[in-house]
Amino acid sequence: MADGTGAGDRGDGPGRGIPQRQKEPHTDYGGAVYGSLQAASVVAGTAAFGPFPRVGLMLLLLVTGLVFWMAHVYSHLVGDLASYRYLTWDRIRRVAGQEWPIAQASVGPAVAVAISPMLRLDLPATAWFALSVAVAEQIGWATAAAIRARVSRRLVALSVAVNLVLGLIIVVLKAKLL
């Protein structure tokens, strides 16, 4: 059958003598890339208002990450009409866990802001440091996704290039807002 069951099914599976491949833990690379872009945008957007106090920028990064995470969980749950019939706490926890990389992506730039005084960075340099961390995360997650998908080196390089361009667009926007 077209759905992979019945006639034409290879018959691989439990009890068929062929070991099953262990299911790899699900990592939402797209959510991590999205969250990194969002964090970079938050840092770049604050430039329009002048240097933000460090605590304010850290809170803005973390709260925005959490708000976008909640928005994605909600939209995922209600976007699937079948969810209304099968909405359980287990499903909510599963979707929340799958979307968690969106919120996690704001942690790196927030940590960059937190440690910036130890590096003797002033507020504008702190913003650039946090932005650099967000863009590096974005490129790193996209590269990890491409490698994990076992695509060709050419596609890995293309993924890096596309994400570098996206990051540079945010950097240019930040530079224009100063």
Side-chain angles (χ1 to χ4, degrees):
M1 300 183 124
D3 65 357
T5 61
D9 188 8
R10 289 182 26 202
D12 299 347
R16 308 278 180 178
I18 298 174
Q20 292 297 296
R21 196 169 79 180
Q22 291 293 327
K23 188 173 182 176
E24 296 179 19
H26 176 73
T27 300
D28 184 7
Y29 293 102
V33 169
Y34 175 83
S36 298
L37 280 165
Q38 172 264 321
S41 299
V42 166
V43 175
T46 61
F49 304 108
F52 242 66
R54 284 180 178 86
V55 173
L57 182 53
M58 287 184 336
L59 287 173
L60 187 59
L61 281 163
L62 295 172
V63 168
T64 303
L66 287 172
V67 167
F68 274 77
W69 166 70
M70 288 187 289
H72 276 257
V73 170
Y74 176 75
S75 64
H76 185 86
L77 289 170
V78 301
D80 179 10
L81 294 177
S83 291
Y84 284 108
R85 283 183 257 143
Y86 305 108
L87 193 59
T88 64
W89 283 112
D90 184 54
R91 178 159 168 71
I92 293 168
R93 278 191 299 275
R94 189 173 61 251
V95 170
Q98 288 171 346
E99 299 293 334
W100 187 243
I102 293 171
Q104 280 180 311
S106 64
V107 173
V111 169
V113 173
I115 68 169
S116 66
M118 292 182 268
L119 301 173
R120 301 185 194 278
L121 298 177
D122 61 8
L123 291 176
T126 295
W128 281 109
F129 181 41
L131 181 59
S132 299
V133 168
V135 171
E137 276 186 347
Q138 171 201 337
I139 294 168
W141 282 115
T143 303
I147 291 170
R148 183 117 187 235
R150 295 184 175 104
V151 299
S152 69
R153 288 183 178 159
R154 183 173 176 224
L155 282 177
V156 172
L158 180 62
S159 177
V160 169
V162 166
N163 280 279
L164 182 58
V165 168
L166 287 171
L168 290 175
I169 289 169
I170 295 171
V171 168
V172 167
L173 289 172
K174 178 175 177 4
K176 296 289 182 187
L177 291 173
L178 289 177

